[in-house]
PDB file of all heavy atoms in Angstrom:
ATOM      1  N   PHE A 156     -20.541 -38.319  42.616  1.00 90.00           N
ATOM      2  CA  PHE A 156     -21.328 -39.487  42.196  1.00 90.00           C
ATOM      3  C   PHE A 156     -22.367 -39.206  41.095  1.00 90.00           C
ATOM      4  O   PHE A 156     -23.062 -40.065  40.575  1.00 90.00           O
ATOM      5  CB  PHE A 156     -22.108 -40.000  43.419  1.00 90.00           C
ATOM      6  CG  PHE A 156     -21.157 -40.494  44.488  1.00 90.00           C
ATOM      7  CD1 PHE A 156     -21.052 -39.712  45.686  1.00 90.00           C
ATOM      8  CD2 PHE A 156     -20.361 -41.567  44.364  1.00 90.00           C
ATOM      9  CE1 PHE A 156     -20.215 -40.142  46.705  1.00 90.00           C
ATOM     10  CE2 PHE A 156     -19.531 -41.996  45.368  1.00 90.00           C
ATOM     11  CZ  PHE A 156     -19.394 -41.284  46.557  1.00 90.00           C
ATOM     12  N   ALA A 157     -22.381 -37.891  40.639  1.00 88.00           N
ATOM     13  CA  ALA A 157     -23.329 -37.570  39.508  1.00 88.00           C
ATOM     14  C   ALA A 157     -22.590 -36.787  38.436  1.00 88.00           C
ATOM     15  O   ALA A 157     -22.075 -37.364  37.489  1.00 88.00           O
ATOM     16  CB  ALA A 157     -24.551 -36.824  40.076  1.00 88.00           C
ATOM     17  N   SER A 158     -22.528 -35.430  38.641  1.00 88.00           N
ATOM     18  CA  SER A 158     -21.926 -34.612  37.590  1.00 88.00           C
ATOM     19  C   SER A 158     -21.464 -33.333  38.158  1.00 88.00           C
ATOM     20  O   SER A 158     -22.169 -32.685  38.962  1.00 88.00           O
ATOM     21  CB  SER A 158     -22.949 -34.354  36.474  1.00 88.00           C
ATOM     22  OG  SER A 158     -22.648 -33.242  35.695  1.00 88.00           O
ATOM     23  N   PRO A 159     -20.276 -32.851  37.731  1.00 90.00           N
ATOM     24  CA  PRO A 159     -19.805 -31.493  38.221  1.00 90.00           C
ATOM     25  C   PRO A 159     -20.716 -30.408  37.719  1.00 90.00           C
ATOM     26  O   PRO A 159     -20.709 -29.320  38.364  1.00 90.00           O
ATOM     27  CB  PRO A 159     -18.413 -31.383  37.645  1.00 90.00           C
ATOM     28  CG  PRO A 159     -18.372 -32.363  36.468  1.00 90.00           C
ATOM     29  CD  PRO A 159     -19.283 -33.497  36.854  1.00 90.00           C
ATOM     30  N   ILE A 160     -21.467 -30.603  36.625  1.00 92.00           N
ATOM     31  CA  ILE A 160     -22.374 -29.554  36.157  1.00 92.00           C
ATOM     32  C   ILE A 160     -23.547 -29.412  37.207  1.00 92.00           C
ATOM     33  O   ILE A 160     -23.877 -28.272  37.598  1.00 92.00           O
ATOM     34  CB  ILE A 160     -22.919 -29.943  34.777  1.00 92.00           C
ATOM     35  CG1 ILE A 160     -21.796 -29.902  33.756  1.00 92.00           C
ATOM     36  CG2 ILE A 160     -24.025 -28.992  34.431  1.00 92.00           C
ATOM     37  CD1 ILE A 160     -22.225 -30.285  32.370  1.00 92.00           C
ATOM     38  N   ILE A 161     -24.036 -30.534  37.649  1.00 94.00           N
ATOM     39  CA  ILE A 161     -25.120 -30.466  38.699  1.00 94.00           C
ATOM     40  C   ILE A 161     -24.569 -29.849  39.931  1.00 94.00           C
ATOM     41  O   ILE A 161     -25.212 -29.023  40.640  1.00 94.00           O
ATOM     42  CB  ILE A 161     -25.694 -31.864  38.971  1.00 94.00           C
ATOM     43  CG1 ILE A 161     -26.335 -32.427  37.744  1.00 94.00           C
ATOM     44  CG2 ILE A 161     -26.734 -31.784  40.127  1.00 94.00           C
ATOM     45  CD1 ILE A 161     -26.813 -33.824  37.891  1.00 94.00           C
ATOM     46  N   SER A 162     -23.367 -30.185  40.309  1.00 96.00           N
ATOM     47  CA  SER A 162     -22.642 -29.677  41.504  1.00 96.00           C
ATOM     48  C   SER A 162     -22.520 -28.127  41.349  1.00 96.00           C
ATOM     49  O   SER A 162     -22.804 -27.363  42.334  1.00 96.00           O
ATOM     50  CB  SER A 162     -21.269 -30.253  41.674  1.00 96.00           C
ATOM     51  OG  SER A 162     -20.548 -29.638  42.696  1.00 96.00           O
ATOM     52  N   LEU A 163     -22.147 -27.648  40.189  1.00 96.00           N
ATOM     53  CA  LEU A 163     -21.952 -26.223  39.957  1.00 96.00           C
ATOM     54  C   LEU A 163     -23.364 -25.475  40.159  1.00 96.00           C
ATOM     55  O   LEU A 163     -23.393 -24.418  40.741  1.00 96.00           O
ATOM     56  CB  LEU A 163     -21.469 -25.967  38.590  1.00 96.00           C
ATOM     57  CG  LEU A 163     -21.239 -24.487  38.210  1.00 96.00           C
ATOM     58  CD1 LEU A 163     -20.220 -23.821  39.087  1.00 96.00           C
ATOM     59  CD2 LEU A 163     -20.875 -24.387  36.750  1.00 96.00           C
ATOM     60  N   ILE A 164     -24.393 -26.083  39.569  1.00 97.00           N
ATOM     61  CA  ILE A 164     -25.709 -25.450  39.660  1.00 97.00           C
ATOM     62  C   ILE A 164     -26.126 -25.390  41.147  1.00 97.00           C
ATOM     63  O   ILE A 164     -26.642 -24.335  41.568  1.00 97.00           O
ATOM     64  CB  ILE A 164     -26.746 -26.350  38.880  1.00 97.00           C
ATOM     65  CG1 ILE A 164     -26.401 -26.229  37.379  1.00 97.00           C
ATOM     66  CG2 ILE A 164     -28.206 -25.899  39.211  1.00 97.00           C
ATOM     67  CD1 ILE A 164     -27.254 -27.132  36.570  1.00 97.00           C
ATOM     68  N   LEU A 165     -25.817 -26.437  41.950  1.00 98.00           N
ATOM     69  CA  LEU A 165     -26.219 -26.372  43.371  1.00 98.00           C
ATOM     70  C   LEU A 165     -25.389 -25.325  44.138  1.00 98.00           C
ATOM     71  O   LEU A 165     -26.012 -24.639  44.915  1.00 98.00           O
ATOM     72  CB  LEU A 165     -25.964 -27.742  44.003  1.00 98.00           C
ATOM     73  CG  LEU A 165     -26.958 -28.908  43.634  1.00 98.00           C
ATOM     74  CD1 LEU A 165     -26.380 -30.254  44.075  1.00 98.00           C
ATOM     75  CD2 LEU A 165     -28.340 -28.609  44.233  1.00 98.00           C
ATOM     76  N   VAL A 166     -24.138 -25.160  43.864  1.00 97.00           N
ATOM     77  CA  VAL A 166     -23.375 -24.198  44.520  1.00 97.00           C
ATOM     78  C   VAL A 166     -23.869 -22.729  44.181  1.00 97.00           C
ATOM     79  O   VAL A 166     -24.040 -21.915  45.103  1.00 97.00           O
ATOM     80  CB  VAL A 166     -21.869 -24.241  44.161  1.00 97.00           C
ATOM     81  CG1 VAL A 166     -21.098 -23.127  44.756  1.00 97.00           C
ATOM     82  CG2 VAL A 166     -21.322 -25.580  44.628  1.00 97.00           C
ATOM     83  N   ILE A 167     -24.189 -22.573  42.910  1.00 97.00           N
ATOM     84  CA  ILE A 167     -24.685 -21.227  42.491  1.00 97.00           C
ATOM     85  C   ILE A 167     -26.028 -20.887  43.234  1.00 97.00           C
ATOM     86  O   ILE A 167     -26.284 -19.792  43.700  1.00 97.00           O
ATOM     87  CB  ILE A 167     -24.800 -21.121  40.974  1.00 97.00           C
ATOM     88  CG1 ILE A 167     -23.443 -21.170  40.334  1.00 97.00           C
ATOM     89  CG2 ILE A 167     -25.585 -19.865  40.535  1.00 97.00           C
ATOM     90  CD1 ILE A 167     -23.434 -21.297  38.859  1.00 97.00           C
ATOM     91  N   LEU A 168     -26.875 -21.917  43.237  1.00 97.00           N
ATOM     92  CA  LEU A 168     -28.144 -21.724  43.916  1.00 97.00           C
ATOM     93  C   LEU A 168     -27.984 -21.408  45.416  1.00 97.00           C
ATOM     94  O   LEU A 168     -28.786 -20.603  45.944  1.00 97.00           O
ATOM     95  CB  LEU A 168     -29.032 -22.995  43.796  1.00 97.00           C
ATOM     96  CG  LEU A 168     -29.626 -23.231  42.391  1.00 97.00           C
ATOM     97  CD1 LEU A 168     -30.290 -24.641  42.388  1.00 97.00           C
ATOM     98  CD2 LEU A 168     -30.608 -22.127  41.999  1.00 97.00           C
ATOM     99  N   GLY A 169     -26.982 -22.049  45.965  1.00 97.00           N
ATOM    100  CA  GLY A 169     -26.699 -21.762  47.444  1.00 97.00           C
ATOM    101  C   GLY A 169     -26.144 -20.339  47.656  1.00 97.00           C
ATOM    102  O   GLY A 169     -26.397 -19.671  48.690  1.00 97.00           O
ATOM    103  N   PHE A 170     -25.346 -19.899  46.688  1.00 96.00           N
ATOM    104  CA  PHE A 170     -24.768 -18.542  46.814  1.00 96.00           C
ATOM    105  C   PHE A 170     -25.769 -17.447  46.652  1.00 96.00           C
ATOM    106  O   PHE A 170     -25.611 -16.410  47.289  1.00 96.00           O
ATOM    107  CB  PHE A 170     -23.648 -18.377  45.734  1.00 96.00           C
ATOM    108  CG  PHE A 170     -22.231 -18.548  46.295  1.00 96.00           C
ATOM    109  CD1 PHE A 170     -21.408 -19.527  45.804  1.00 96.00           C
ATOM    110  CD2 PHE A 170     -21.773 -17.665  47.290  1.00 96.00           C
ATOM    111  CE1 PHE A 170     -20.133 -19.559  46.211  1.00 96.00           C
ATOM    112  CE2 PHE A 170     -20.475 -17.763  47.694  1.00 96.00           C
ATOM    113  CZ  PHE A 170     -19.635 -18.772  47.215  1.00 96.00           C
ATOM    114  N   ILE A 171     -26.689 -17.605  45.820  1.00 96.00           N
ATOM    115  CA  ILE A 171     -27.605 -16.517  45.465  1.00 96.00           C
ATOM    116  C   ILE A 171     -28.368 -15.877  46.686  1.00 96.00           C
ATOM    117  O   ILE A 171     -28.250 -14.682  46.872  1.00 96.00           O
ATOM    118  CB  ILE A 171     -28.639 -16.927  44.373  1.00 96.00           C
ATOM    119  CG1 ILE A 171     -27.977 -17.164  43.026  1.00 96.00           C
ATOM    120  CG2 ILE A 171     -29.782 -15.926  44.326  1.00 96.00           C
ATOM    121  CD1 ILE A 171     -28.786 -17.730  41.966  1.00 96.00           C
ATOM    122  N   PRO A 172     -29.019 -16.666  47.480  1.00 95.00           N
ATOM    123  CA  PRO A 172     -29.697 -15.998  48.639  1.00 95.00           C
ATOM    124  C   PRO A 172     -28.730 -15.469  49.676  1.00 95.00           C
ATOM    125  O   PRO A 172     -28.951 -14.463  50.368  1.00 95.00           O
ATOM    126  CB  PRO A 172     -30.610 -17.110  49.233  1.00 95.00           C
ATOM    127  CG  PRO A 172     -29.908 -18.371  48.841  1.00 95.00           C
ATOM    128  CD  PRO A 172     -29.387 -18.069  47.444  1.00 95.00           C
ATOM    129  N   LEU A 173     -27.550 -16.189  49.885  1.00 94.00           N
ATOM    130  CA  LEU A 173     -26.516 -15.695  50.796  1.00 94.00           C
ATOM    131  C   LEU A 173     -26.009 -14.273  50.412  1.00 94.00           C
ATOM    132  O   LEU A 173     -26.001 -13.384  51.253  1.00 94.00           O
ATOM    133  CB  LEU A 173     -25.361 -16.666  50.845  1.00 94.00           C
ATOM    134  CG  LEU A 173     -24.220 -16.410  51.853  1.00 94.00           C
ATOM    135  CD1 LEU A 173     -23.551 -17.722  52.225  1.00 94.00           C
ATOM    136  CD2 LEU A 173     -23.186 -15.362  51.342  1.00 94.00           C
ATOM    137  N   LEU A 174     -25.689 -14.128  49.169  1.00 94.00           N
ATOM    138  CA  LEU A 174     -25.245 -12.808  48.679  1.00 94.00           C
ATOM    139  C   LEU A 174     -26.308 -11.704  48.703  1.00 94.00           C
ATOM    140  O   LEU A 174     -26.114 -10.636  49.143  1.00 94.00           O
ATOM    141  CB  LEU A 174     -24.625 -12.968  47.259  1.00 94.00           C
ATOM    142  CG  LEU A 174     -23.348 -13.800  47.173  1.00 94.00           C
ATOM    143  CD1 LEU A 174     -23.002 -13.968  45.712  1.00 94.00           C
ATOM    144  CD2 LEU A 174     -22.253 -13.123  47.935  1.00 94.00           C
ATOM    145  N   LEU A 175     -27.504 -12.069  48.178  1.00 94.00           N
ATOM    146  CA  LEU A 175     -28.536 -11.030  48.041  1.00 94.00           C
ATOM    147  C   LEU A 175     -29.190 -10.710  49.378  1.00 94.00           C
ATOM    148  O   LEU A 175     -29.435  -9.487  49.654  1.00 94.00           O
ATOM    149  CB  LEU A 175     -29.622 -11.518  47.055  1.00 94.00           C
ATOM    150  CG  LEU A 175     -29.140 -11.654  45.609  1.00 94.00           C
ATOM    151  CD1 LEU A 175     -30.316 -12.088  44.671  1.00 94.00           C
ATOM    152  CD2 LEU A 175     -28.596 -10.329  45.102  1.00 94.00           C
ATOM    153  N   GLU A 176     -29.427 -11.669  50.242  1.00 92.00           N
ATOM    154  CA  GLU A 176     -30.094 -11.394  51.530  1.00 92.00           C
ATOM    155  C   GLU A 176     -29.108 -10.947  52.577  1.00 92.00           C
ATOM    156  O   GLU A 176     -29.220  -9.847  53.116  1.00 92.00           O
ATOM    157  CB  GLU A 176     -30.788 -12.622  52.033  1.00 92.00           C
ATOM    158  CG  GLU A 176     -32.163 -12.876  51.410  1.00 92.00           C
ATOM    159  CD  GLU A 176     -33.276 -11.983  51.950  1.00 92.00           C
ATOM    160  OE1 GLU A 176     -33.058 -11.311  52.932  1.00 92.00           O
ATOM    161  OE2 GLU A 176     -34.372 -12.033  51.367  1.00 92.00           O
ATOM    162  N   PHE A 177     -28.010 -11.682  52.872  1.00 89.00           N
ATOM    163  CA  PHE A 177     -27.199 -11.465  53.989  1.00 89.00           C
ATOM    164  C   PHE A 177     -26.102 -10.377  53.653  1.00 89.00           C
ATOM    165  O   PHE A 177     -25.784  -9.584  54.506  1.00 89.00           O
ATOM    166  CB  PHE A 177     -26.542 -12.757  54.463  1.00 89.00           C
ATOM    167  CG  PHE A 177     -25.700 -12.574  55.726  1.00 89.00           C
ATOM    168  CD1 PHE A 177     -26.310 -12.320  56.917  1.00 89.00           C
ATOM    169  CD2 PHE A 177     -24.344 -12.695  55.626  1.00 89.00           C
ATOM    170  CE1 PHE A 177     -25.550 -12.147  58.062  1.00 89.00           C
ATOM    171  CE2 PHE A 177     -23.558 -12.514  56.801  1.00 89.00           C
ATOM    172  CZ  PHE A 177     -24.163 -12.226  58.016  1.00 89.00           C
ATOM    173  N   VAL A 178     -25.566 -10.485  52.470  1.00 90.00           N
ATOM    174  CA  VAL A 178     -24.484  -9.504  52.118  1.00 90.00           C
ATOM    175  C   VAL A 178     -25.040  -8.206  51.663  1.00 90.00           C
ATOM    176  O   VAL A 178     -24.575  -7.111  52.055  1.00 90.00           O
ATOM    177  CB  VAL A 178     -23.491 -10.119  51.078  1.00 90.00           C
ATOM    178  CG1 VAL A 178     -22.443  -9.132  50.664  1.00 90.00           C
ATOM    179  CG2 VAL A 178     -22.868 -11.395  51.650  1.00 90.00           C
ATOM    180  N   MET A 179     -26.021  -8.259  50.733  1.00 91.00           N
ATOM    181  CA  MET A 179     -26.551  -7.008  50.106  1.00 91.00           C
ATOM    182  C   MET A 179     -27.830  -6.509  50.669  1.00 91.00           C
ATOM    183  O   MET A 179     -28.382  -5.441  50.287  1.00 91.00           O
ATOM    184  CB  MET A 179     -26.636  -7.206  48.616  1.00 91.00           C
ATOM    185  CG  MET A 179     -25.291  -7.575  47.947  1.00 91.00           C
ATOM    186  SD  MET A 179     -25.491  -7.906  46.165  1.00 91.00           S
ATOM    187  CE  MET A 179     -25.759  -6.241  45.593  1.00 91.00           C
ATOM    188  N   TYR A 180     -28.462  -7.264  51.608  1.00 93.00           N
ATOM    189  CA  TYR A 180     -29.692  -6.820  52.261  1.00 93.00           C
ATOM    190  C   TYR A 180     -30.850  -6.603  51.311  1.00 93.00           C
ATOM    191  O   TYR A 180     -31.695  -5.730  51.542  1.00 93.00           O
ATOM    192  CB  TYR A 180     -29.455  -5.599  53.141  1.00 93.00           C
ATOM    193  CG  TYR A 180     -28.755  -5.883  54.432  1.00 93.00           C
ATOM    194  CD1 TYR A 180     -27.480  -6.526  54.496  1.00 93.00           C
ATOM    195  CD2 TYR A 180     -29.330  -5.532  55.630  1.00 93.00           C
ATOM    196  CE1 TYR A 180     -26.799  -6.746  55.677  1.00 93.00           C
ATOM    197  CE2 TYR A 180     -28.628  -5.749  56.826  1.00 93.00           C
ATOM    198  CZ  TYR A 180     -27.407  -6.367  56.845  1.00 93.00           C
ATOM    199  OH  TYR A 180     -26.779  -6.639  58.029  1.00 93.00           O
ATOM    200  N   LYS A 181     -30.911  -7.368  50.235  1.00 92.00           N
ATOM    201  CA  LYS A 181     -32.098  -7.336  49.349  1.00 92.00           C
ATOM    202  C   LYS A 181     -33.176  -8.166  49.850  1.00 92.00           C
ATOM    203  O   LYS A 181     -32.973  -9.171  50.566  1.00 92.00           O
ATOM    204  CB  LYS A 181     -31.625  -7.888  47.880  1.00 92.00           C
ATOM    205  CG  LYS A 181     -30.466  -7.139  47.285  1.00 92.00           C
ATOM    206  CD  LYS A 181     -30.835  -5.731  46.783  1.00 92.00           C
ATOM    207  CE  LYS A 181     -29.723  -5.067  45.991  1.00 92.00           C
ATOM    208  NZ  LYS A 181     -30.046  -3.737  45.551  1.00 92.00           N
ATOM    209  N   GLN A 182     -34.342  -7.775  49.529  1.00 91.00           N
ATOM    210  CA  GLN A 182     -35.521  -8.556  50.015  1.00 91.00           C
ATOM    211  C   GLN A 182     -35.847  -9.554  49.002  1.00 91.00           C
ATOM    212  O   GLN A 182     -36.880  -9.530  48.287  1.00 91.00           O
ATOM    213  CB  GLN A 182     -36.701  -7.588  50.276  1.00 91.00           C
ATOM    214  CG  GLN A 182     -36.386  -6.569  51.345  1.00 91.00           C
ATOM    215  CD  GLN A 182     -37.557  -5.586  51.646  1.00 91.00           C
ATOM    216  OE1 GLN A 182     -38.674  -6.002  51.593  1.00 91.00           O
ATOM    217  NE2 GLN A 182     -37.177  -4.338  51.898  1.00 91.00           N
ATOM    218  N   PHE A 183     -34.949 -10.561  48.821  1.00 92.00           N
ATOM    219  CA  PHE A 183     -35.010 -11.458  47.723  1.00 92.00           C
ATOM    220  C   PHE A 183     -35.905 -12.668  47.959  1.00 92.00           C
ATOM    221  O   PHE A 183     -36.725 -12.991  47.154  1.00 92.00           O
ATOM    222  CB  PHE A 183     -33.536 -11.975  47.438  1.00 92.00           C
ATOM    223  CG  PHE A 183     -33.445 -13.077  46.408  1.00 92.00           C
ATOM    224  CD1 PHE A 183     -33.821 -12.740  45.088  1.00 92.00           C
ATOM    225  CD2 PHE A 183     -32.983 -14.317  46.679  1.00 92.00           C
ATOM    226  CE1 PHE A 183     -33.763 -13.718  44.099  1.00 92.00           C
ATOM    227  CE2 PHE A 183     -32.944 -15.320  45.669  1.00 92.00           C
ATOM    228  CZ  PHE A 183     -33.274 -15.005  44.353  1.00 92.00           C
ATOM    229  N   ILE A 184     -35.779 -13.284  49.133  1.00 94.00           N
ATOM    230  CA  ILE A 184     -36.648 -14.477  49.430  1.00 94.00           C
ATOM    231  C   ILE A 184     -37.755 -14.114  50.471  1.00 94.00           C
ATOM    232  O   ILE A 184     -38.393 -14.992  50.949  1.00 94.00           O
ATOM    233  CB  ILE A 184     -35.789 -15.671  49.950  1.00 94.00           C
ATOM    234  CG1 ILE A 184     -35.022 -15.262  51.219  1.00 94.00           C
ATOM    235  CG2 ILE A 184     -34.830 -16.166  48.885  1.00 94.00           C
ATOM    236  CD1 ILE A 184     -34.299 -16.481  51.864  1.00 94.00           C
ATOM    237  N   ASP A 185     -37.901 -12.846  50.758  1.00 94.00           N
ATOM    238  CA  ASP A 185     -38.895 -12.436  51.766  1.00 94.00           C
ATOM    239  C   ASP A 185     -40.285 -13.041  51.498  1.00 94.00           C
ATOM    240  O   ASP A 185     -40.986 -13.413  52.464  1.00 94.00           O
ATOM    241  CB  ASP A 185     -38.927 -10.916  51.852  1.00 94.00           C
ATOM    242  CG  ASP A 185     -37.675 -10.363  52.489  1.00 94.00           C
ATOM    243  OD1 ASP A 185     -36.571 -10.858  52.173  1.00 94.00           O
ATOM    244  OD2 ASP A 185     -37.769  -9.407  53.349  1.00 94.00           O
ATOM    245  N   PRO A 186     -40.781 -12.967  50.251  1.00 93.00           N
ATOM    246  CA  PRO A 186     -42.143 -13.478  49.972  1.00 93.00           C
ATOM    247  C   PRO A 186     -42.392 -14.906  50.401  1.00 93.00           C
ATOM    248  O   PRO A 186     -43.478 -15.382  50.502  1.00 93.00           O
ATOM    249  CB  PRO A 186     -42.347 -13.308  48.513  1.00 93.00           C
ATOM    250  CG  PRO A 186     -41.370 -12.154  48.215  1.00 93.00           C
ATOM    251  CD  PRO A 186     -40.198 -12.432  49.042  1.00 93.00           C
ATOM    252  N   LEU A 187     -41.218 -15.698  50.555  1.00 94.00           N
ATOM    253  CA  LEU A 187     -41.396 -17.110  50.916  1.00 94.00           C
ATOM    254  C   LEU A 187     -41.636 -17.312  52.389  1.00 94.00           C
ATOM    255  O   LEU A 187     -41.949 -18.376  52.853  1.00 94.00           O
ATOM    256  CB  LEU A 187     -40.110 -17.845  50.586  1.00 94.00           C
ATOM    257  CG  LEU A 187     -39.708 -17.848  49.050  1.00 94.00           C
ATOM    258  CD1 LEU A 187     -38.355 -18.560  48.888  1.00 94.00           C
ATOM    259  CD2 LEU A 187     -40.784 -18.414  48.236  1.00 94.00           C
ATOM    260  N   PHE A 188     -41.593 -16.224  53.173  1.00 95.00           N
ATOM    261  CA  PHE A 188     -41.786 -16.341  54.600  1.00 95.00           C
ATOM    262  C   PHE A 188     -43.038 -15.535  55.110  1.00 95.00           C
ATOM    263  O   PHE A 188     -43.493 -14.641  54.414  1.00 95.00           O
ATOM    264  CB  PHE A 188     -40.545 -15.879  55.312  1.00 95.00           C
ATOM    265  CG  PHE A 188     -39.284 -16.660  55.091  1.00 95.00           C
ATOM    266  CD1 PHE A 188     -38.567 -16.542  53.960  1.00 95.00           C
ATOM    267  CD2 PHE A 188     -38.923 -17.664  56.046  1.00 95.00           C
ATOM    268  CE1 PHE A 188     -37.440 -17.308  53.736  1.00 95.00           C
ATOM    269  CE2 PHE A 188     -37.845 -18.445  55.765  1.00 95.00           C
ATOM    270  CZ  PHE A 188     -37.083 -18.295  54.642  1.00 95.00           C
ATOM    271  N   ILE A 189     -43.502 -15.864  56.253  1.00 95.00           N
ATOM    272  CA  ILE A 189     -44.698 -15.176  56.861  1.00 95.00           C
ATOM    273  C   ILE A 189     -44.405 -13.726  57.137  1.00 95.00           C
ATOM    274  O   ILE A 189     -43.330 -13.327  57.620  1.00 95.00           O
ATOM    275  CB  ILE A 189     -45.118 -15.933  58.137  1.00 95.00           C
ATOM    276  CG1 ILE A 189     -45.530 -17.379  57.844  1.00 95.00           C
ATOM    277  CG2 ILE A 189     -46.310 -15.160  58.791  1.00 95.00           C
ATOM    278  CD1 ILE A 189     -45.805 -18.168  59.119  1.00 95.00           C
ATOM    279  N   ALA A 190     -45.350 -12.909  56.769  1.00 97.00           N
ATOM    280  CA  ALA A 190     -45.259 -11.384  57.034  1.00 97.00           C
ATOM    281  C   ALA A 190     -45.789 -11.076  58.370  1.00 97.00           C
ATOM    282  O   ALA A 190     -46.808 -11.657  58.871  1.00 97.00           O
ATOM    283  CB  ALA A 190     -45.995 -10.638  55.964  1.00 97.00           C
ATOM    284  N   HIS A 191     -45.147 -10.163  59.099  1.00 97.00           N
ATOM    285  CA  HIS A 191     -45.590  -9.685  60.394  1.00 97.00           C
ATOM    286  C   HIS A 191     -45.663  -8.176  60.344  1.00 97.00           C
ATOM    287  O   HIS A 191     -44.827  -7.506  59.646  1.00 97.00           O
ATOM    288  CB  HIS A 191     -44.633 -10.151  61.464  1.00 97.00           C
ATOM    289  CG  HIS A 191     -44.501 -11.612  61.620  1.00 97.00           C
ATOM    290  ND1 HIS A 191     -45.330 -12.403  62.420  1.00 97.00           N
ATOM    291  CD2 HIS A 191     -43.625 -12.480  61.040  1.00 97.00           C
ATOM    292  CE1 HIS A 191     -44.974 -13.651  62.298  1.00 97.00           C
ATOM    293  NE2 HIS A 191     -43.972 -13.738  61.491  1.00 97.00           N
ATOM    294  N   PRO A 192     -46.507  -7.535  61.177  1.00 98.00           N
ATOM    295  CA  PRO A 192     -46.508  -6.063  61.254  1.00 98.00           C
ATOM    296  C   PRO A 192     -45.337  -5.657  62.057  1.00 98.00           C
ATOM    297  O   PRO A 192     -45.136  -6.135  63.140  1.00 98.00           O
ATOM    298  CB  PRO A 192     -47.844  -5.754  61.908  1.00 98.00           C
ATOM    299  CG  PRO A 192     -48.198  -6.980  62.697  1.00 98.00           C
ATOM    300  CD  PRO A 192     -47.632  -8.171  61.885  1.00 98.00           C
ATOM    301  N   SER A 193     -44.641  -4.669  61.573  1.00 98.00           N
ATOM    302  CA  SER A 193     -43.550  -3.983  62.386  1.00 98.00           C
ATOM    303  C   SER A 193     -43.815  -2.450  62.237  1.00 98.00           C
ATOM    304  O   SER A 193     -44.607  -2.076  61.478  1.00 98.00           O
ATOM    305  CB  SER A 193     -42.256  -4.409  61.791  1.00 98.00           C
ATOM    306  OG  SER A 193     -41.151  -3.912  62.689  1.00 98.00           O
ATOM    307  N   HIS A 194     -43.066  -1.742  63.002  1.00 98.00           N
ATOM    308  CA  HIS A 194     -43.333  -0.295  63.128  1.00 98.00           C
ATOM    309  C   HIS A 194     -42.103   0.552  63.304  1.00 98.00           C
ATOM    310  O   HIS A 194     -41.041   0.158  63.745  1.00 98.00           O
ATOM    311  CB  HIS A 194     -44.266  -0.051  64.338  1.00 98.00           C
ATOM    312  CG  HIS A 194     -45.532  -0.808  64.300  1.00 98.00           C
ATOM    313  ND1 HIS A 194     -45.586  -2.108  64.695  1.00 98.00           N
ATOM    314  CD2 HIS A 194     -46.789  -0.453  63.899  1.00 98.00           C
ATOM    315  CE1 HIS A 194     -46.862  -2.546  64.582  1.00 98.00           C
ATOM    316  NE2 HIS A 194     -47.585  -1.593  64.103  1.00 98.00           N
TER     317      HIS A 194
END
């Protein structure tokens, strides 16, 4: 209903955190969440 270009942008945006956080274990979006002390 809009444009395949916008669709492509959305898919790429969805892929980025999935690949970096879950697949590669990078601390990519960590700053967006509350920090807790761990040990």
Side-chain angles (χ1 to χ4, degrees):
F156 301 109
S158 163
I160 294 178
I161 298 175
S162 176
L163 179 63
I164 293 171
L165 286 170
V166 175
I167 292 173
L168 287 174
F170 256 120
I171 289 172
L173 184 154
L174 292 173
L175 294 180
E176 281 282 351
F177 186 68
V178 176
M179 301 179 69
Y180 283 58
K181 302 288 186 182
Q182 298 179 39
F183 177 64
I184 59 174
D185 289 42
L187 300 178
F188 294 83
I189 297 172
H191 300 272
S193 188
H194 303 81

